[in-house]
Amino acid sequence: MKLRVEEIKPKKAVIKFEETQPYFVNSLRRTMLSDLPKLAIDDVIIYDNTSPLFDEIIAHRLSLLPIPTDLSLLSYRDECVCKGKGCPNCTVRYTLSKEGEGTVYSGDLQPSEKTWAITEDKIPIVRLYGDQRLILEVEAVLGKAKDHAKWQGIQAPSYKMDFSIGFDKSKLSDTKDFISKLPEGLVEIKGDKLVLKDETKLPVFESYLEREKIDFITVKRDTNNFTFYFETDGSLSAKDALYETAKILEDKYSEFAKQLKNLK
Ligand SMILES: [Zn+2]
């Protein structure tokens, strides 16, 4: 297998996998979706809420905020040395106190330690009017999306197989004629291939092929080469998310190998 980073940004990555199989790329996608840990607000203590929203709605909104997660410093609460009581190794605490006209934003949550300050600080939680008040305390803990969607730190990880579009050279004028009927700039002829300007538009192109019953243009998929895309919600950097997912997969495969060895 060959791996090439096409693009890596703090919250987004495009990775190219070559000489591999769909099941491998899919296991990476599924692990990212369900097993990758991140912090999310799990407990909310509301001391005063005279805002227009019910306590439950505010708690729900808080739970979906991206909380910056440093996995090297944290452990799961039920595996922690505190035995689930909650300590700085497994729990991050924030307080919020706001009164009077204005919007309460994610950045109004004050962390117990500066390192945990919320970076996505302009996410609105509720609008306060007149002398309305919101005073609360929250606890964020590590979790996995397979237990609750609020712990899903990766948005829509996906992959697509590489493909090429060929055409029958004896039908060049028919091909040109067909292309002229398509939205401008969708596809162009380059040598003996057709090239999509935007590769994500392949389903659109294929729907035209089907509608016009075109049999002289063929789309060939390459089942060994893939482009993998994912975005994080900001809790984890794209780089950390990828490394952590690889580590989780490695642990799963070594556990599987260990269990196999024990079979008699
Ligand atoms: Zn603890």
Side-chain angles (χ1 to χ4, degrees), residues 201-213:
K201 295 275 162 66
L202 181 64
V204 178
F205 179 70
E206 286 187 306
S207 70
Y208 283 110
L209 287 181
E210 202 179 309
R211 197 183 69 180
E212 303 288 325
K213 298 194 171 41

Side-chain angles (χ1 to χ4, degrees), residues 41-208:
I41 290 172
D42 196 41
D43 274 320
V44 181
I45 305 163
I46 296 187
Y47 295 111
D48 200 358
N49 173 22
T50 55
S51 81
L53 296 183
F54 291 117
D55 294 357
E56 290 83 352
I57 298 174
I58 289 176
H60 180 250
R61 289 185 176 187
L62 292 169
S63 75
L64 298 175
L65 294 176
I67 309 290
T69 305
D70 185 342
L71 292 171
S72 65
L73 298 176
L74 293 161
S75 50
Y76 290 109
R77 196 182 243 187
D78 54 0
E79 294 169 8
C80 184
V81 284
C82 70
K83 295 187 174 129
K85 283 183 197 140
C87 72
N89 294 327
C90 64
T91 308
V92 181
R93 291 188 171 87
Y94 296 88
T95 53
L96 188 150
S97 175
K98 209 154 177 191
E99 185 172 358
E101 201 75 32
T103 304
V104 181
Y105 290 102
S106 48
D108 292 319
L109 284 165
Q110 298 301 317
S112 49
E113 282 174 53
K114 270 192 180 157
T115 43
W116 300 108
I118 293 184
T119 41
E120 305 272 339
D121 58 355
K122 280 286 173 227
I123 303 172
I125 296 165
V126 63
R127 173 89 165 86
L128 300 179
Y129 297 90
D131 59 355
Q132 289 176 345
R133 259 191 320 275
L134 184 62
I135 302 169
L136 51 81
E137 214 179 288
V138 301
E139 284 183 357
V141 295
L142 274 191
K144 294 176 183 175
K146 65 182 173 192
D147 297 319
H148 194 288
K150 70 183 170 190
W151 282 300
Q152 188 181 314
I154 304 294
Q155 262 108 47
S158 62
Y159 60 90
K160 66 171 183 58
M161 286 177 193
D162 285 0
F163 62 88
S164 60
I165 309 170
F167 65 94
D168 183 345
K169 276 175 224 150
S170 64
K171 296 276 177 89
L172 182 63
S173 64
D174 289 337
T175 305
K176 282 182 177 166
D177 188 41
F178 168 66
I179 291 176
S180 70
K181 291 181 201 157
L182 302 179
E184 214 180 313
L186 180 69
V187 66
E188 56 183 3
I189 301 178
K190 274 191 184 164
D192 59 351
K193 297 264 183 274
L194 297 186
V195 178
L196 288 180
K197 200 173 169 189
D198 175 358
E199 292 200 341
T200 62
K201 295 275 162 66
L202 181 64
V204 178
F205 179 70
E206 286 187 306
S207 70
Y208 283 110

